[in-house]
Amino acid sequence: MASNLIPNLSDFSFSLLLVLAMAPFLAQSSELKETQLVLYFQDNVSAGPNATSLPVAGIAGKLWTFTQFGTVYVTDDPLTAGPEPNSASIGRAQGITVAAALNGRNALVLVSLVFTNQEYNGSTLELQGNSKQFEQVREVAVVSGTGKFRFARGYATFETYLVDPATSYSVERCNVTVQHY
């Protein structure tokens, strides 16, 4: 029994080797950075071929709208550097929005910002939170990230930049402040 209390030299050697092998990676990624981004969501809710956001589920017998409790929208919006549709592409906003309040005023937002631009290509940021749909500025959390945004945390605000009810097209400005390694 007493022999179990004596450390095994081979276990110690392996642990030391593992720590030494990881040291360069730990030292390289230990500096916390802050990045601020301004992105524009090009959102098209029409039922046509250019739709980027569509209702996919809701309460049977009820009209599926952004304010109808239980309505689920799936989104794949282009992300651009400016508010114009032909602005430089940054990536895609892919996720779901659920009308989560009985009065239709709040929505649960779960969105991945998938970057395809040169600076952040292959990286993602994950947004999640309760969006107060009729507030001028809406805020959600940045809960994680990948690639250049590994271990991300922060917040994102949304402001409606443009709404065209005739075509169901809107532009949302998204300001992201994120800390990451």
Side-chain angles (χ1 to χ4, degrees):
M1 187 76 174
S3 65
N4 289 341
L5 299 175
I6 300 171
N8 185 337
L9 186 57
S10 65
D11 289 343
F12 176 74
S13 298
F14 176 74
S15 297
L16 181 61
L17 182 62
L18 184 62
V19 168
L20 291 175
M22 294 289 293
F25 298 106
L26 295 173
Q28 184 179 31
S29 65
S30 65
E31 187 178 322
L32 188 63
K33 298 175 232 166
E34 182 173 291
T35 300
Q36 295 184 353
L37 303 166
V38 178
L39 317 164
Y40 292 86
F41 285 48
Q42 305 290 331
D43 191 48
N44 189 341
V45 189
S46 71
N50 296 324
T52 62
S53 187
L54 293 171
V56 294
I59 297 173
K62 299 277 188 175
L63 187 60
W64 294 357
T65 68
F66 279 110
T67 58
Q68 175 57 54
F69 176 72
T71 303
V72 179
Y73 278 78
V74 64
T75 299
D76 186 7
D77 287 343
L79 290 174
T80 58
E84 299 79 20
N86 59 351
S87 295
S89 176
I90 293 176
R92 307 291 294 190
Q94 299 171 332
I96 61 172
T97 303
V98 181
L102 287 171
N103 66 5
R105 299 193 62 78
N106 298 337
L108 172 63
V109 175
L110 303 164
V111 174
S112 298
L113 304 182
V114 181
F115 293 93
T116 58
N117 63 337
Q118 186 174 359
E119 187 174 3
Y120 302 116
N121 189 27
S123 299
T124 65
L125 284 171
E126 303 302 320
L127 309 183
Q128 176 181 333
N130 182 355
S131 176
K132 297 177 184 338
Q133 296 191 88
F134 298 102
E135 298 287 325
Q136 184 175 353
V137 178
R138 294 144 332 261
E139 183 175 322
V140 297
V142 175
V143 296
S144 67
T146 64
K148 291 191 177 181
F149 297 115
R150 207 167 275 139
F151 295 112
R153 65 178 185 257
Y155 68 96
T157 60
F158 291 92
E159 301 170 66
T160 302
Y161 181 85
L162 170 87
V163 175
D164 182 358
T167 61
S168 298
Y169 172 74
S170 67
V171 177
E172 300 291 325
R173 177 184 163 123
C174 179
N175 301 297
V176 179
T177 300
V178 63
Q179 294 179 333
H180 56 96
Y181 289 97

